[in-house]
Amino acid sequence: MSNHLYGYLLAVLLLFVSGCTSLTKHPVYVEDGVAINGYDVVGYFVENAPVKGSEQFTSEYGEVLWRFSSAENQAKFEDEPTQYLPQYGGYCAYAMSHGFVVDTVPEAFSVINGKLYLNYSLGVRETWLEDTDRFIEEADKQWVKKLAK
């Protein structure tokens, strides 16, 4: 079996095994009351890396608590939060392109055309990166449907 096919099958299997969730009152991926595992959304843009946020630097936006690694990143977010919010509420972008709402890990990210996309795993991220234009188009459609429910 080729690595490409193996990666694709693994990505699909992980999506089903992971246990899909549904959107709650707040369509943002929240664990323990904090958005996207407590990682700094501004850090993805500034450092091009996942950076753990601190309890010292927090902001509430959309009735969700966001953490930041510095006062500077917190201020950037507060000045223009929509610029930094992850697409699809921080749920897996690849899964959303198939109509599923699945959690994410901080390391599996990509910034495309100034927007942050998160994925379920690094393996799923590899599949996502193979055709982001198509997956984004499909995920955008699915997200609108999910929010309308």
Side-chain angles (χ1 to χ4, degrees), residues 60-94:
E60 188 174 315
Y61 179 80
E63 298 182 40
V64 175
L65 186 65
W66 300 84
R67 289 189 179 159
F68 305 92
S69 59
S70 68
E72 181 181 0
N73 283 5
Q74 178 184 2
K76 285 181 181 182
F77 179 82
E78 290 174 349
D79 285 345
E80 201 168 351
T82 58
Q83 178 179 338
Y84 299 103
L85 293 175
Q87 299 302 293
Y88 321 119
Y91 291 102
C92 178
Y94 177 75

Side-chain angles (χ1 to χ4, degrees), residues 23-39:
L23 296 177
T24 60
K25 180 181 173 189
H26 309 290
V28 173
Y29 174 50
V30 174
E31 287 270 331
D32 299 323
V34 181
I36 66 164
N37 296 300
Y39 277 74

Side-chain angles (χ1 to χ4, degrees), residues 1-10 126-127 130:
M1 183 180 302
S2 73
N3 284 341
H4 173 73
L5 180 57
Y6 177 76
Y8 176 76
L9 291 174
L10 181 60
E126 291 305 312
T127 302
E130 290 174 6

